[in-house]
Amino acid sequence: MVAAFLRLGAGALLALLAACSTVPERYAVPAVARETLQSFQIEGRFSLRYEQASYSGKIAWRHAPEGDDIFLMNPFGQGAAEISRRPGVARLVTADQKEFQAADADQLVADVLGYPLPVAGMGEWLLARAAPAGAAERDGAGRLLRLQEAGWSIDYDYGDNPSPQALPVRLTARRGEALELKLRIDDWSAQ
């Protein structure tokens, strides 16, 4: 009886050790190929430099074919602005609950914040997808490294993930010398 118990205990211990020694997959690849992703959520940090001013904070973004919901927070996580975009209407709510609406999200952001941000195109840029008219530079795995599109220059960084389906962890978008937006994506949820 004791010998059977010891064999059972030893077997359980070996199974536990084997489970603990399993190395998690180092490079997560989305269940759906990047080119076919329609919806995603990100959480991360941003820094924005426009002319002599600079801003930084946190960002949470939900993107789906029916629209976008973008939450901008100060570095301490308090709400600074909420931008929602649906077909034909965009809405921006500031931290002091002032609400603005327009037909175009890019124009709304430019009018309210005073500088242009590519809200409408950023969803595709976050997925490292270029429009047919964009000038794209790719790496050996076929991933977008640099994109020139709609007056913007976008640089991509995939961290140490070599997968052709890797999603970017850093993105830098520039419009001339006056505007630079950097995004550091801490969490991807691709659907």
Side-chain angles (χ1 to χ4, degrees):
M1 180 81 164
V2 173
F5 180 73
L6 287 175
R7 278 194 305 272
L8 180 61
L13 181 60
L14 286 173
L16 180 61
L17 288 173
C20 291
S21 68
T22 302
V23 178
E25 186 176 336
R26 184 171 177 197
Y27 304 111
V29 176
V32 179
R34 180 172 17 93
E35 292 79 20
T36 61
L37 282 174
Q38 297 296 312
S39 302
F40 66 81
Q41 288 182 233
I42 65 162
E43 290 183 17
R45 294 165 277 163
F46 73 91
S47 68
L48 175 72
R49 180 187 52 77
Y50 180 63
E51 294 177 347
Q52 304 305 315
S54 62
Y55 311 92
S56 64
K58 297 180 180 182
I59 184 169
W61 189 321
R62 286 184 301 224
H63 173 80
E66 59 273 3
D68 295 285
D69 293 306
I70 305 163
F71 303 93
L72 302 174
M73 295 151 278
N74 68 25
F76 303 107
Q78 296 172 326
E82 177 182 336
I83 303 164
S84 62
R85 183 181 72 85
R86 300 292 182 273
V89 65
R91 184 175 69 102
L92 187 147
V93 179
T94 63
D96 58 355
Q97 299 304 304
K98 291 182 182 172
E99 185 173 327
F100 304 89
Q101 287 192 353
D104 177 76
D106 293 359
Q107 189 61 51
L108 174 66
V109 169
D111 290 345
V112 175
L113 301 180
Y115 45 83
L117 289 178
V119 176
M122 186 64 79
E124 292 296 301
W125 293 350
L126 283 167
L127 292 169
R129 297 194 296 217
E137 180 183 328
R138 299 186 182 276
D139 67 8
R143 302 176 302 187
L144 205 53
L145 285 179
R146 186 163 291 113
L147 174 64
Q148 302 284 329
E149 189 173 288
W152 290 86
S153 174
I154 304 102
D155 293 313
Y156 292 91
D157 182 354
Y158 300 91
D160 62 354
N161 188 338
S163 169
Q165 293 301 318
L167 294 167
V169 295
R170 281 181 288 284
L171 178 139
T172 302
R174 294 179 186 88
R175 187 172 187 131
E177 296 294 319
L179 195 147
E180 178 181 75
L181 172 64
K182 292 183 178 183
L183 291 175
R184 167 72 171 123
I185 302 161
D186 297 320
D187 186 42
W188 269 103
S189 175
Q191 300 141 4

mmCIF file with all atom_site columns, all heavy atoms in Angstrom, residues 106 116-122 125 130-135 147-154 173-176:
data_model
loop_
_atom_site.group_PDB
_atom_site.id
_atom_site.type_symbol
_atom_site.label_atom_id
_atom_site.label_alt_id
_atom_site.label_comp_id
_atom_site.label_asym_id
_atom_site.label_entity_id
_atom_site.label_seq_id
_atom_site.pdbx_PDB_ins_code
_atom_site.Cartn_x
_atom_site.Cartn_y
_atom_site.Cartn_z
_atom_site.occupancy
_atom_site.B_iso_or_equiv
_atom_site.pdbx_formal_charge
_atom_site.auth_seq_id
_atom_site.auth_comp_id
_atom_site.auth_asym_id
_atom_site.auth_atom_id
_atom_site.pdbx_PDB_model_num
ATOM 1   N N   . ASP A 1 106 ? -11.238 63.103 -38.038 1.00 0.00 ? 106 ASP A N   1
ATOM 2   C CA  . ASP A 1 106 ? -9.961  63.800 -38.182 1.00 0.00 ? 106 ASP A CA  1
ATOM 3   C C   . ASP A 1 106 ? -10.147 65.317 -38.077 1.00 0.00 ? 106 ASP A C   1
ATOM 4   O O   . ASP A 1 106 ? -9.376  65.999 -37.392 1.00 0.00 ? 106 ASP A O   1
ATOM 5   C CB  . ASP A 1 106 ? -9.297  63.456 -39.518 1.00 0.00 ? 106 ASP A CB  1
ATOM 6   C CG  . ASP A 1 106 ? -8.853  62.006 -39.590 1.00 0.00 ? 106 ASP A CG  1
ATOM 7   O OD1 . ASP A 1 106 ? -9.030  61.256 -38.611 1.00 0.00 ? 106 ASP A OD1 1
ATOM 8   O OD2 . ASP A 1 106 ? -8.308  61.619 -40.638 1.00 0.00 ? 106 ASP A OD2 1
ATOM 9   N N   . PRO A 1 116 ? -3.741  68.125 -36.065 1.00 0.00 ? 116 PRO A N   1
ATOM 10  C CA  . PRO A 1 116 ? -4.338  66.996 -36.788 1.00 0.00 ? 116 PRO A CA  1
ATOM 11  C C   . PRO A 1 116 ? -3.866  65.652 -36.235 1.00 0.00 ? 116 PRO A C   1
ATOM 12  O O   . PRO A 1 116 ? -2.698  65.484 -35.907 1.00 0.00 ? 116 PRO A O   1
ATOM 13  C CB  . PRO A 1 116 ? -3.828  67.201 -38.219 1.00 0.00 ? 116 PRO A CB  1
ATOM 14  C CG  . PRO A 1 116 ? -2.521  67.898 -38.038 1.00 0.00 ? 116 PRO A CG  1
ATOM 15  C CD  . PRO A 1 116 ? -2.672  68.774 -36.830 1.00 0.00 ? 116 PRO A CD  1
ATOM 16  N N   . LEU A 1 117 ? -4.784  64.732 -36.092 1.00 0.00 ? 117 LEU A N   1
ATOM 17  C CA  . LEU A 1 117 ? -4.465  63.334 -35.765 1.00 0.00 ? 117 LEU A CA  1
ATOM 18  C C   . LEU A 1 117 ? -5.237  62.444 -36.721 1.00 0.00 ? 117 LEU A C   1
ATOM 19  O O   . LEU A 1 117 ? -6.410  62.702 -37.002 1.00 0.00 ? 117 LEU A O   1
ATOM 20  C CB  . LEU A 1 117 ? -4.842  62.998 -34.321 1.00 0.00 ? 117 LEU A CB  1
ATOM 21  C CG  . LEU A 1 117 ? -3.987  63.618 -33.240 1.00 0.00 ? 117 LEU A CG  1
ATOM 22  C CD1 . LEU A 1 117 ? -4.514  63.235 -31.862 1.00 0.00 ? 117 LEU A CD1 1
ATOM 23  C CD2 . LEU A 1 117 ? -2.539  63.188 -33.380 1.00 0.00 ? 117 LEU A CD2 1
ATOM 24  N N   . PRO A 1 118 ? -4.615  61.397 -37.218 1.00 0.00 ? 118 PRO A N   1
ATOM 25  C CA  . PRO A 1 118 ? -5.253  60.535 -38.229 1.00 0.00 ? 118 PRO A CA  1
ATOM 26  C C   . PRO A 1 118 ? -6.164  59.475 -37.610 1.00 0.00 ? 118 PRO A C   1
ATOM 27  O O   . PRO A 1 118 ? -5.918  58.281 -37.711 1.00 0.00 ? 118 PRO A O   1
ATOM 28  C CB  . PRO A 1 118 ? -4.046  59.898 -38.916 1.00 0.00 ? 118 PRO A CB  1
ATOM 29  C CG  . PRO A 1 118 ? -3.028  59.800 -37.820 1.00 0.00 ? 118 PRO A CG  1
ATOM 30  C CD  . PRO A 1 118 ? -3.231  61.018 -36.967 1.00 0.00 ? 118 PRO A CD  1
ATOM 31  N N   . VAL A 1 119 ? -7.236  59.901 -36.977 1.00 0.00 ? 119 VAL A N   1
ATOM 32  C CA  . VAL A 1 119 ? -8.130  58.970 -36.276 1.00 0.00 ? 119 VAL A CA  1
ATOM 33  C C   . VAL A 1 119 ? -8.704  57.939 -37.243 1.00 0.00 ? 119 VAL A C   1
ATOM 34  O O   . VAL A 1 119 ? -8.718  56.744 -36.946 1.00 0.00 ? 119 VAL A O   1
ATOM 35  C CB  . VAL A 1 119 ? -9.260  59.735 -35.552 1.00 0.00 ? 119 VAL A CB  1
ATOM 36  C CG1 . VAL A 1 119 ? -10.238 58.773 -34.897 1.00 0.00 ? 119 VAL A CG1 1
ATOM 37  C CG2 . VAL A 1 119 ? -8.680  60.701 -34.536 1.00 0.00 ? 119 VAL A CG2 1
ATOM 38  N N   . ALA A 1 120 ? -9.169  58.381 -38.399 1.00 0.00 ? 120 ALA A N   1
ATOM 39  C CA  . ALA A 1 120 ? -9.820  57.465 -39.340 1.00 0.00 ? 120 ALA A CA  1
ATOM 40  C C   . ALA A 1 120 ? -8.856  56.407 -39.878 1.00 0.00 ? 120 ALA A C   1
ATOM 41  O O   . ALA A 1 120 ? -9.233  55.253 -40.038 1.00 0.00 ? 120 ALA A O   1
ATOM 42  C CB  . ALA A 1 120 ? -10.438 58.249 -40.487 1.00 0.00 ? 120 ALA A CB  1
ATOM 43  N N   . GLY A 1 121 ? -7.612  56.761 -40.146 1.00 0.00 ? 121 GLY A N   1
ATOM 44  C CA  . GLY A 1 121 ? -6.665  55.811 -40.722 1.00 0.00 ? 121 GLY A CA  1
ATOM 45  C C   . GLY A 1 121 ? -5.843  55.038 -39.715 1.00 0.00 ? 121 GLY A C   1
ATOM 46  O O   . GLY A 1 121 ? -5.225  54.031 -40.046 1.00 0.00 ? 121 GLY A O   1
ATOM 47  N N   . MET A 1 122 ? -5.849  55.479 -38.467 1.00 0.00 ? 122 MET A N   1
ATOM 48  C CA  . MET A 1 122 ? -4.967  54.879 -37.469 1.00 0.00 ? 122 MET A CA  1
ATOM 49  C C   . MET A 1 122 ? -5.286  53.407 -37.189 1.00 0.00 ? 122 MET A C   1
ATOM 50  O O   . MET A 1 122 ? -4.388  52.629 -36.888 1.00 0.00 ? 122 MET A O   1
ATOM 51  C CB  . MET A 1 122 ? -5.014  55.683 -36.180 1.00 0.00 ? 122 MET A CB  1
ATOM 52  C CG  . MET A 1 122 ? -4.027  55.242 -35.129 1.00 0.00 ? 122 MET A CG  1
ATOM 53  S SD  . MET A 1 122 ? -2.288  55.449 -35.585 1.00 0.00 ? 122 MET A SD  1
ATOM 54  C CE  . MET A 1 122 ? -2.091  57.184 -35.303 1.00 0.00 ? 122 MET A CE  1
ATOM 55  N N   . TRP A 1 125 ? -3.327  51.505 -39.600 1.00 0.00 ? 125 TRP A N   1
ATOM 56  C CA  . TRP A 1 125 ? -1.905  51.674 -39.321 1.00 0.00 ? 125 TRP A CA  1
ATOM 57  C C   . TRP A 1 125 ? -1.485  50.860 -38.107 1.00 0.00 ? 125 TRP A C   1
ATOM 58  O O   . TRP A 1 125 ? -0.396  50.288 -38.094 1.00 0.00 ? 125 TRP A O   1
ATOM 59  C CB  . TRP A 1 125 ? -1.574  53.148 -39.098 1.00 0.00 ? 125 TRP A CB  1
ATOM 60  C CG  . TRP A 1 125 ? -1.735  53.998 -40.323 1.00 0.00 ? 125 TRP A CG  1
ATOM 61  C CD1 . TRP A 1 125 ? -1.952  53.569 -41.607 1.00 0.00 ? 125 TRP A CD1 1
ATOM 62  C CD2 . TRP A 1 125 ? -1.687  55.409 -40.381 1.00 0.00 ? 125 TRP A CD2 1
ATOM 63  N NE1 . TRP A 1 125 ? -2.043  54.646 -42.453 1.00 0.00 ? 125 TRP A NE1 1
ATOM 64  C CE2 . TRP A 1 125 ? -1.887  55.788 -41.732 1.00 0.00 ? 125 TRP A CE2 1
ATOM 65  C CE3 . TRP A 1 125 ? -1.506  56.409 -39.435 1.00 0.00 ? 125 TRP A CE3 1
ATOM 66  C CZ2 . TRP A 1 125 ? -1.893  57.114 -42.143 1.00 0.00 ? 125 TRP A CZ2 1
ATOM 67  C CZ3 . TRP A 1 125 ? -1.520  57.731 -39.844 1.00 0.00 ? 125 TRP A CZ3 1
ATOM 68  C CH2 . TRP A 1 125 ? -1.708  58.074 -41.189 1.00 0.00 ? 125 TRP A CH2 1
ATOM 69  N N   . ALA A 1 130 ? -1.114  48.834 -45.058 1.00 0.00 ? 130 ALA A N   1
ATOM 70  C CA  . ALA A 1 130 ? -1.000  50.031 -45.895 1.00 0.00 ? 130 ALA A CA  1
ATOM 71  C C   . ALA A 1 130 ? -2.147  50.094 -46.884 1.00 0.00 ? 130 ALA A C   1
ATOM 72  O O   . ALA A 1 130 ? -2.589  49.070 -47.400 1.00 0.00 ? 130 ALA A O   1
ATOM 73  C CB  . ALA A 1 130 ? 0.328   50.005 -46.648 1.00 0.00 ? 130 ALA A CB  1
ATOM 74  N N   . ALA A 1 131 ? -2.611  51.302 -47.157 1.00 0.00 ? 131 ALA A N   1
ATOM 75  C CA  . ALA A 1 131 ? -3.585  51.505 -48.223 1.00 0.00 ? 131 ALA A CA  1
ATOM 76  C C   . ALA A 1 131 ? -2.868  51.326 -49.561 1.00 0.00 ? 131 ALA A C   1
ATOM 77  O O   . ALA A 1 131 ? -1.651  51.495 -49.642 1.00 0.00 ? 131 ALA A O   1
ATOM 78  C CB  . ALA A 1 131 ? -4.193  52.904 -48.125 1.00 0.00 ? 131 ALA A CB  1
ATOM 79  N N   . PRO A 1 132 ? -3.591  50.983 -50.625 1.00 0.00 ? 132 PRO A N   1
ATOM 80  C CA  . PRO A 1 132 ? -2.939  50.781 -51.919 1.00 0.00 ? 132 PRO A CA  1
ATOM 81  C C   . PRO A 1 132 ? -2.109  51.979 -52.378 1.00 0.00 ? 132 PRO A C   1
ATOM 82  O O   . PRO A 1 132 ? -1.098  51.811 -53.055 1.00 0.00 ? 132 PRO A O   1
ATOM 83  C CB  . PRO A 1 132 ? -4.109  50.520 -52.870 1.00 0.00 ? 132 PRO A CB  1
ATOM 84  C CG  . PRO A 1 132 ? -5.207  50.006 -52.003 1.00 0.00 ? 132 PRO A CG  1
ATOM 85  C CD  . PRO A 1 132 ? -5.027  50.681 -50.672 1.00 0.00 ? 132 PRO A CD  1
ATOM 86  N N   . ALA A 1 133 ? -2.513  53.193 -52.009 1.00 0.00 ? 133 ALA A N   1
ATOM 87  C CA  . ALA A 1 133 ? -1.787  54.383 -52.441 1.00 0.00 ? 133 ALA A CA  1
ATOM 88  C C   . ALA A 1 133 ? -0.561  54.677 -51.575 1.00 0.00 ? 133 ALA A C   1
ATOM 89  O O   . ALA A 1 133 ? 0.247   55.527 -51.916 1.00 0.00 ? 133 ALA A O   1
ATOM 90  C CB  . ALA A 1 133 ? -2.716  55.596 -52.421 1.00 0.00 ? 133 ALA A CB  1
ATOM 91  N N   . GLY A 1 134 ? -0.417  53.967 -50.459 1.00 0.00 ? 134 GLY A N   1
ATOM 92  C CA  . GLY A 1 134 ? 0.702   54.227 -49.560 1.00 0.00 ? 134 GLY A CA  1
ATOM 93  C C   . GLY A 1 134 ? 2.008   53.642 -50.089 1.00 0.00 ? 134 GLY A C   1
ATOM 94  O O   . GLY A 1 134 ? 2.034   52.612 -50.749 1.00 0.00 ? 134 GLY A O   1
ATOM 95  N N   . ALA A 1 135 ? 3.114   54.330 -49.801 1.00 0.00 ? 135 ALA A N   1
ATOM 96  C CA  . ALA A 1 135 ? 4.452   53.837 -50.162 1.00 0.00 ? 135 ALA A CA  1
ATOM 97  C C   . ALA A 1 135 ? 4.981   53.055 -48.965 1.00 0.00 ? 135 ALA A C   1
ATOM 98  O O   . ALA A 1 135 ? 5.205   53.622 -47.892 1.00 0.00 ? 135 ALA A O   1
ATOM 99  C CB  . ALA A 1 135 ? 5.375   55.003 -50.495 1.00 0.00 ? 135 ALA A CB  1
ATOM 100 N N   . LEU A 1 147 ? 5.968   53.418 -43.624 1.00 0.00 ? 147 LEU A N   1
ATOM 101 C CA  . LEU A 1 147 ? 4.848   53.710 -44.505 1.00 0.00 ? 147 LEU A CA  1
ATOM 102 C C   . LEU A 1 147 ? 4.754   55.220 -44.700 1.00 0.00 ? 147 LEU A C   1
ATOM 103 O O   . LEU A 1 147 ? 4.865   55.979 -43.744 1.00 0.00 ? 147 LEU A O   1
ATOM 104 C CB  . LEU A 1 147 ? 3.551   53.178 -43.879 1.00 0.00 ? 147 LEU A CB  1
ATOM 105 C CG  . LEU A 1 147 ? 2.240   53.516 -44.578 1.00 0.00 ? 147 LEU A CG  1
ATOM 106 C CD1 . LEU A 1 147 ? 2.185   52.877 -45.962 1.00 0.00 ? 147 LEU A CD1 1
ATOM 107 C CD2 . LEU A 1 147 ? 1.065   53.044 -43.728 1.00 0.00 ? 147 LEU A CD2 1
ATOM 108 N N   . GLN A 1 148 ? 4.567   55.637 -45.940 1.00 0.00 ? 148 GLN A N   1
ATOM 109 C CA  . GLN A 1 148 ? 4.277   57.034 -46.282 1.00 0.00 ? 148 GLN A CA  1
ATOM 110 C C   . GLN A 1 148 ? 2.853   57.039 -46.827 1.00 0.00 ? 148 GLN A C   1
ATOM 111 O O   . GLN A 1 148 ? 2.577   56.423 -47.857 1.00 0.00 ? 148 GLN A O   1
ATOM 112 C CB  . GLN A 1 148 ? 5.240   57.539 -47.364 1.00 0.00 ? 148 GLN A CB  1
ATOM 113 C CG  . GLN A 1 148 ? 6.696   57.466 -47.008 1.00 0.00 ? 148 GLN A CG  1
ATOM 114 C CD  . GLN A 1 148 ? 7.101   58.555 -46.036 1.00 0.00 ? 148 GLN A CD  1
ATOM 115 O OE1 . GLN A 1 148 ? 6.548   59.646 -46.037 1.00 0.00 ? 148 GLN A OE1 1
ATOM 116 N NE2 . GLN A 1 148 ? 8.081   58.261 -45.205 1.00 0.00 ? 148 GLN A NE2 1
ATOM 117 N N   . GLU A 1 149 ? 1.950   57.711 -46.099 1.00 0.00 ? 149 GLU A N   1
ATOM 118 C CA  . GLU A 1 149 ? 0.551   57.670 -46.509 1.00 0.00 ? 149 GLU A CA  1
ATOM 119 C C   . GLU A 1 149 ? -0.184  58.918 -46.019 1.00 0.00 ? 149 GLU A C   1
ATOM 120 O O   . GLU A 1 149 ? -0.034  59.304 -44.861 1.00 0.00 ? 149 GLU A O   1
ATOM 121 C CB  . GLU A 1 149 ? -0.102  56.409 -45.937 1.00 0.00 ? 149 GLU A CB  1
ATOM 122 C CG  . GLU A 1 149 ? -1.479  56.126 -46.455 1.00 0.00 ? 149 GLU A CG  1
ATOM 123 C CD  . GLU A 1 149 ? -1.991  54.781 -45.969 1.00 0.00 ? 149 GLU A CD  1
ATOM 124 O OE1 . GLU A 1 149 ? -1.494  53.752 -46.445 1.00 0.00 ? 149 GLU A OE1 1
ATOM 125 O OE2 . GLU A 1 149 ? -2.881  54.788 -45.100 1.00 0.00 ? 149 GLU A OE2 1
ATOM 126 N N   . ALA A 1 150 ? -0.958  59.537 -46.888 1.00 0.00 ? 150 ALA A N   1
ATOM 127 C CA  . ALA A 1 150 ? -1.819  60.674 -46.547 1.00 0.00 ? 150 ALA A CA  1
ATOM 128 C C   . ALA A 1 150 ? -1.065  61.793 -45.831 1.00 0.00 ? 150 ALA A C   1
ATOM 129 O O   . ALA A 1 150 ? -1.582  62.419 -44.913 1.00 0.00 ? 150 ALA A O   1
ATOM 130 C CB  . ALA A 1 150 ? -3.006  60.201 -45.704 1.00 0.00 ? 150 ALA A CB  1
ATOM 131 N N   . GLY A 1 151 ? 0.185   62.037 -46.232 1.00 0.00 ? 151 GLY A N   1
ATOM 132 C CA  . GLY A 1 151 ? 0.976   63.091 -45.621 1.00 0.00 ? 151 GLY A CA  1
ATOM 133 C C   . GLY A 1 151 ? 1.670   62.694 -44.330 1.00 0.00 ? 151 GLY A C   1
ATOM 134 O O   . GLY A 1 151 ? 2.312   63.516 -43.682 1.00 0.00 ? 151 GLY A O   1
ATOM 135 N N   . TRP A 1 152 ? 1.556   61.427 -43.945 1.00 0.00 ? 152 TRP A N   1
ATOM 136 C CA  . TRP A 1 152 ? 2.153   60.914 -42.708 1.00 0.00 ? 152 TRP A CA  1
ATOM 137 C C   . TRP A 1 152 ? 3.271   59.942 -43.034 1.00 0.00 ? 152 TRP A C   1
ATOM 138 O O   . TRP A 1 152 ? 3.218   59.225 -44.026 1.00 0.00 ? 152 TRP A O   1
ATOM 139 C CB  . TRP A 1 152 ? 1.105   60.195 -41.859 1.00 0.00 ? 152 TRP A CB  1
ATOM 140 C CG  . TRP A 1 152 ? 0.090   61.108 -41.266 1.00 0.00 ? 152 TRP A CG  1
ATOM 141 C CD1 . TRP A 1 152 ? -1.062  61.549 -41.850 1.00 0.00 ? 152 TRP A CD1 1
ATOM 142 C CD2 . TRP A 1 152 ? 0.132   61.698 -39.975 1.00 0.00 ? 152 TRP A CD2 1
ATOM 143 N NE1 . TRP A 1 152 ? -1.731  62.371 -41.007 1.00 0.00 ? 152 TRP A NE1 1
ATOM 144 C CE2 . TRP A 1 152 ? -1.027  62.479 -39.839 1.00 0.00 ? 152 TRP A CE2 1
ATOM 145 C CE3 . TRP A 1 152 ? 1.035   61.631 -38.919 1.00 0.00 ? 152 TRP A CE3 1
ATOM 146 C CZ2 . TRP A 1 152 ? -1.312  63.197 -38.689 1.00 0.00 ? 152 TRP A CZ2 1
ATOM 147 C CZ3 . TRP A 1 152 ? 0.749   62.350 -37.768 1.00 0.00 ? 152 TRP A CZ3 1
ATOM 148 C CH2 . TRP A 1 152 ? -0.411  63.130 -37.668 1.00 0.00 ? 152 TRP A CH2 1
ATOM 149 N N   . SER A 1 153 ? 4.241   59.892 -42.169 1.00 0.00 ? 153 SER A N   1
ATOM 150 C CA  . SER A 1 153 ? 5.314   58.896 -42.227 1.00 0.00 ? 153 SER A CA  1
ATOM 151 C C   . SER A 1 153 ? 5.218   58.064 -40.950 1.00 0.00 ? 153 SER A C   1
ATOM 152 O O   . SER A 1 153 ? 5.263   58.618 -39.850 1.00 0.00 ? 153 SER A O   1
ATOM 153 C CB  . SER A 1 153 ? 6.675   59.598 -42.301 1.00 0.00 ? 153 SER A CB  1
ATOM 154 O OG  . SER A 1 153 ? 7.705   58.645 -42.225 1.00 0.00 ? 153 SER A OG  1
ATOM 155 N N   . ILE A 1 154 ? 5.052   56.749 -41.096 1.00 0.00 ? 154 ILE A N   1
ATOM 156 C CA  . ILE A 1 154 ? 4.844   55.870 -39.950 1.00 0.00 ? 154 ILE A CA  1
ATOM 157 C C   . ILE A 1 154 ? 5.963   54.838 -39.910 1.00 0.00 ? 154 ILE A C   1
ATOM 158 O O   . ILE A 1 154 ? 6.237   54.169 -40.911 1.00 0.00 ? 154 ILE A O   1
ATOM 159 C CB  . ILE A 1 154 ? 3.472   55.153 -40.027 1.00 0.00 ? 154 ILE A CB  1
ATOM 160 C CG1 . ILE A 1 154 ? 2.345   56.193 -40.139 1.00 0.00 ? 154 ILE A CG1 1
ATOM 161 C CG2 . ILE A 1 154 ? 3.255   54.283 -38.815 1.00 0.00 ? 154 ILE A CG2 1
ATOM 162 C CD1 . ILE A 1 154 ? 1.801   56.354 -41.493 1.00 0.00 ? 154 ILE A CD1 1
ATOM 163 N N   . ALA A 1 173 ? 4.338   58.010 -35.718 1.00 0.00 ? 173 ALA A N   1
ATOM 164 C CA  . ALA A 1 173 ? 3.737   58.683 -36.876 1.00 0.00 ? 173 ALA A CA  1
ATOM 165 C C   . ALA A 1 173 ? 4.173   60.145 -36.858 1.00 0.00 ? 173 ALA A C   1
ATOM 166 O O   . ALA A 1 173 ? 4.060   60.816 -35.829 1.00 0.00 ? 173 ALA A O   1
ATOM 167 C CB  . ALA A 1 173 ? 2.216   58.567 -36.820 1.00 0.00 ? 173 ALA A CB  1
ATOM 168 N N   . ARG A 1 174 ? 4.666   60.611 -37.992 1.00 0.00 ? 174 ARG A N   1
ATOM 169 C CA  . ARG A 1 174 ? 5.127   61.998 -38.114 1.00 0.00 ? 174 ARG A CA  1
ATOM 170 C C   . ARG A 1 174 ? 4.426   62.670 -39.288 1.00 0.00 ? 174 ARG A C   1
ATOM 171 O O   . ARG A 1 174 ? 4.221   62.056 -40.329 1.00 0.00 ? 174 ARG A O   1
ATOM 172 C CB  . ARG A 1 174 ? 6.633   62.049 -38.353 1.00 0.00 ? 174 ARG A CB  1
ATOM 173 C CG  . ARG A 1 174 ? 7.447   61.557 -37.205 1.00 0.00 ? 174 ARG A CG  1
ATOM 174 C CD  . ARG A 1 174 ? 8.951   61.609 -37.532 1.00 0.00 ? 174 ARG A CD  1
ATOM 175 N NE  . ARG A 1 174 ? 9.730   60.997 -36.488 1.00 0.00 ? 174 ARG A NE  1
ATOM 176 C CZ  . ARG A 1 174 ? 10.034  59.703 -36.422 1.00 0.00 ? 174 ARG A CZ  1
ATOM 177 N NH1 . ARG A 1 174 ? 9.629   58.883 -37.370 1.00 0.00 ? 174 ARG A NH1 1
ATOM 178 N NH2 . ARG A 1 174 ? 10.746  59.223 -35.419 1.00 0.00 ? 174 ARG A NH2 1
ATOM 179 N N   . ARG A 1 175 ? 4.140   63.934 -39.087 1.00 0.00 ? 175 ARG A N   1
ATOM 180 C CA  . ARG A 1 175 ? 3.606   64.764 -40.175 1.00 0.00 ? 175 ARG A CA  1
ATOM 181 C C   . ARG A 1 175 ? 4.496   65.989 -40.246 1.00 0.00 ? 175 ARG A C   1
ATOM 182 O O   . ARG A 1 175 ? 4.378   66.896 -39.430 1.00 0.00 ? 175 ARG A O   1
ATOM 183 C CB  . ARG A 1 175 ? 2.166   65.146 -39.913 1.00 0.00 ? 175 ARG A CB  1
ATOM 184 C CG  . ARG A 1 175 ? 1.543   65.852 -41.080 1.00 0.00 ? 175 ARG A CG  1
ATOM 185 C CD  . ARG A 1 175 ? 0.063   66.046 -40.869 1.00 0.00 ? 175 ARG A CD  1
ATOM 186 N NE  . ARG A 1 175 ? -0.501  66.582 -42.085 1.00 0.00 ? 175 ARG A NE  1
ATOM 187 C CZ  . ARG A 1 175 ? -1.575  66.111 -42.673 1.00 0.00 ? 175 ARG A CZ  1
ATOM 188 N NH1 . ARG A 1 175 ? -2.213  65.093 -42.154 1.00 0.00 ? 175 ARG A NH1 1
ATOM 189 N NH2 . ARG A 1 175 ? -2.022  66.671 -43.761 1.00 0.00 ? 175 ARG A NH2 1
ATOM 190 N N   . GLY A 1 176 ? 5.426   65.957 -41.198 1.00 0.00 ? 176 GLY A N   1
ATOM 191 C CA  . GLY A 1 176 ? 6.406   67.025 -41.307 1.00 0.00 ? 176 GLY A CA  1
ATOM 192 C C   . GLY A 1 176 ? 7.291   67.071 -40.076 1.00 0.00 ? 176 GLY A C   1
ATOM 193 O O   . GLY A 1 176 ? 7.489   66.072 -39.388 1.00 0.00 ? 176 GLY A O   1
#
